[in-house]
Amino acid sequence: MTILRARPAPLVAAVAALAAVTAVGAALLTGPAAAAQGCRVDYTPNQWPGGFTANIKVSPGDAAVSGWTVTWTYAGDERVTNGWNATVSQSGSTVNARNMSYNGGIPAGGSTEFGVQGTYGTAGGAPTGFSLNGVPCNGAGPTTPPPTTTVPTTAPPTTPPPTTAPPTTAPPTTPPPTTPPPTTPPPSGCAGAVLCDGFENQTGPTPSGDWNVVSPDCSGAGTATIDTSTTHSGSRAVRINGAAGYCNHVFVRTTKNLSGLGSVRYARVWVRHTTAQPTDHTTMITMTDAADGNRDLRLGGQNGALQWNRASDDATLPEQSPAGVAQSVPLPTNRWACLEFMVDGSAGQLRTWLDGVAVTGLTADGVPTHDIDGQWYNRTWRPQLTDLKLGWESYGGGADTLWYDDVAMGSTRIGC
């Protein structure tokens, strides 16, 4: 993990009418237009192939600020797609992050934090050129030239920043809010689903017949087998040995014709796994989206909780801010869990249930909501899903062993 820390030299001003002169003849501007001595920016990234998040901590140093703009420059081809606790924009390789209404005031010696999420193509290097309100925080000078206009002779505002602490984004200690399940429970079994498989017709050690073993991107150490020792029901289940690191992708893909489902499809998958979801991005269920360049819609995890992800632009549901992740839930380990989801291609909506309870953070309801589906709706999304794949992809250090059983997909909710 890279942590970049930078401390700037003071901004020297020669306007005697505005500020007191220090012992060395330097004047320091304070307030929303400048930073003070000891300015520091800590950039802590979490990176995987093709994507990243970063937490940025800004400390103004010896004097308070009542508003802030942090600027930095990426060395590679990184593109910021989302931010939290700041309004973030990017021009070329330069990024500007401006405070929100609730966290603009930072006292002397204090700090505040915000974050970004983004993608990169060929390379993702360490950012440089950090500045706070135009004052360099790494000794390299501001990323944009400072104003050349004469400083006003009137004193800057002296209104102190709010004394109340800004809202924090730490995950709540109570369980995330969920919407209650329907009053009338959905039917059990397969309820006339187009796909209904407990893998009982598998006769060999390798999935075959209604399922093909595939490695969509590249193959490696991951394996898919038929297991008779660990099952949800009956005598067989699919076992996935999911290895860590990119290029160990392995899935079983149904050969059933799912075209009769139309634009709305419900799925139910019983899944069991051994290892808690890691910080790194992982995937365990994917579906090809014909309306998105045949790129996959993926269900997996990141930052220790379940997450949906679009392969085309790396958008996530929920957003990977601390407050967003807190709206999801981890997939329980060492027990069978009932995972359900609904995708409505005509309305561009998605819903997810774990053990019959709807998960707020895994719901895209058509109305962009910050920390949940705001990033998801950064463009029109009308999926046309064509298949179902169960398995494992790791984009970092995550390894896991998973079992899948009693899989169903239909045009109405099937239930657990």
Side-chain angles (χ1 to χ4, degrees), residues 66-258:
S66 57
W68 50 264
T69 297
V70 175
T71 303
W72 68 90
T73 301
Y74 282 120
D77 56 1
E78 296 93 337
R79 297 297 303 176
V80 171
T81 58
N82 182 41
W84 58 93
N85 289 342
T87 301
V88 184
S89 61
Q90 182 170 354
S91 177
S93 58
T94 300
V95 179
N96 288 279
R98 188 175 70 253
N99 65 272
M100 307 295 286
S101 60
Y102 55 79
N103 63 356
I106 311 176
S111 64
T112 192
E113 297 184 17
F114 64 96
V116 296
Q117 180 173 0
T119 62
Y120 66 90
T122 59
T128 58
F130 286 97
S131 69
L132 172 60
N133 293 338
V135 178
C137 291
N138 61 359
T143 55
T144 56
T148 57
T149 56
T150 303
V151 179
T153 57
T154 57
T158 57
T159 303
T163 57
T164 57
T168 63
T169 56
T173 56
T174 57
T178 58
T179 55
T183 304
T184 303
S188 59
C190 283
V194 172
L195 171 64
C196 180
D197 201 336
F199 305 106
E200 296 305 301
N201 60 353
Q202 297 290 326
T203 58
T206 303
S208 60
D210 291 337
W211 299 87
N212 287 335
V213 179
V214 296
S215 298
D217 299 307
C218 48
S219 60
T223 61
T225 59
I226 297 298
D227 194 341
T228 59
S229 62
T230 302
T231 66
H232 174 253
S233 68
S235 60
R236 289 170 176 79
V238 168
R239 172 173 171 154
I240 300 291
N241 293 321
Y246 195 74
C247 275
N248 291 316
H249 303 176
V250 60
F251 287 85
V252 292
R253 179 180 184 272
T254 181
T255 60
K256 288 279 191 179
N257 183 359
L258 304 178

Side-chain angles (χ1 to χ4, degrees), residues 351-378:
R351 302 182 186 279
T352 314
W353 299 263
L354 179 63
D355 292 328
V357 178
V359 182
T360 300
L362 304 178
T363 301
D365 60 4
V367 180
T369 301
H370 181 57
D371 288 322
I372 299 179
D373 55 4
Q375 181 194 19
W376 198 256
Y377 290 120
N378 62 9

Side-chain angles (χ1 to χ4, degrees), residues 20-41:
V21 179
T22 65
V24 294
L28 292 174
L29 298 177
T30 60
Q37 288 182 336
C39 158
R40 187 176 76 250
V41 176

Side-chain angles (χ1 to χ4, degrees), residues 392-414:
W392 180 253
E393 287 181 333
S394 174
Y395 308 96
D400 204 351
T401 303
L402 307 96
W403 290 264
Y404 297 96
D405 202 356
D406 295 324
V407 179
M409 182 171 280
S411 57
T412 59
R413 189 175 173 191
I414 300 155

Side-chain angles (χ1 to χ4, degrees), residues 249-338:
H249 303 176
V250 60
F251 287 85
V252 292
R253 179 180 184 272
T254 181
T255 60
K256 288 279 191 179
N257 183 359
L258 304 178
S259 60
L261 289 175
S263 61
V264 179
R265 59 185 58 198
Y266 288 79
R268 183 211 56 209
V269 178
W270 283 92
V271 58
R272 180 187 180 110
H273 73 136
T274 61
T275 307
Q277 291 168 304
T279 300
D280 293 331
H281 179 200
T282 61
T283 293
M284 57 188 183
I285 298 176
T286 74
M287 294 167 285
T288 301
D289 186 353
D292 199 12
N294 287 320
R295 303 295 298 276
D296 279 340
L297 174 64
R298 308 184 287 201
L299 174 59
Q302 189 172 333
N303 288 316
L306 288 167
Q307 161 194 273
W308 285 95
N309 174 274
R310 278 196 309 246
S312 61
D313 61 357
D314 213 32
T316 64
L317 179 73
E319 299 172 13
Q320 291 303 292
S321 64
V325 173
Q327 304 303 308
S328 185
V329 292
L331 185 68
T333 57
N334 298 310
R335 73 166 178 86
W336 287 98
C338 180

